[in-house]
Amino acid sequence: MDIDKLYEMLRKVQEPKGYYFSNDKERTFELLEGLLQNKERYGYMACPCRLASGDREGDKDIICPCVYREPDVEEYGSCYCNLYVSQEWNQGKIPHAYVPERRPPEKIRF
């Protein structure tokens, strides 16, 4: 799948749920490229902003959209990567604050 197709497919699925791609299209496409690379590398689209282990079961919390997206967007208007954001975030109605890592340290493998 190419990036443009992935962008359109995810946009159509996620926007009705209230999740939008960041207006920074260059950054968005870099992140989508990372998802495609992880899909090729691991067989699943692990979050491009986190280090995946290659163990699907161990990484299921960071398969995009990760389980942390909803609380991140609710609290900060953006997920950890800034891939998915709220309309208010895109419109500049809320500050673009740093989104802290919610993934528990014991899940992070090196």
Side-chain angles (χ1 to χ4, degrees):
M1 175 178 297
D2 72 15
I3 294 174
D4 292 313
K5 286 182 183 171
L6 181 61
Y7 178 88
E8 281 305 315
M9 181 188 73
L10 293 176
R11 187 185 65 73
K12 287 177 185 174
V13 170
Q14 299 302 325
E15 282 187 1
K17 297 176 184 178
Y19 299 103
Y20 300 85
F21 285 129
S22 166
N23 285 340
D24 183 346
K25 209 159 187 183
E26 184 177 335
R27 172 80 172 139
T28 296
F29 275 71
E30 287 172 3
L31 292 167
L32 292 174
E33 176 66 31
L35 286 174
L36 290 175
Q37 287 172 354
N38 283 343
K39 171 98 170 142
E40 191 174 304
R41 185 178 294 139
Y42 304 116
Y44 51 93
M45 289 196 291
C47 174
C49 300
R50 295 180 168 102
L51 188 60
S53 68
D55 171 27
R56 185 182 186 98
E57 184 62 26
D59 288 341
K60 69 182 178 183
D61 63 319
I62 60 167
I63 295 175
C64 190
C66 73
V67 300
Y68 311 106
R69 177 187 70 169
E70 186 176 341
D72 284 351
V73 173
E74 189 174 310
E75 186 172 348
Y76 299 99
S78 171
C79 72
Y80 181 67
C81 294
N82 302 133
L83 177 63
Y84 289 110
V85 300
S86 66
Q87 278 188 313
E88 295 79 15
W89 194 92
N90 263 342
Q91 295 166 351
K93 292 180 179 177
I94 59 174
H96 292 187
Y98 170 76
V99 179
E101 174 64 272
R102 288 183 194 264
R103 194 173 199 214
E106 63 273 11
K107 287 229 169 221
I108 300 170
R109 301 181 186 128
F110 298 99

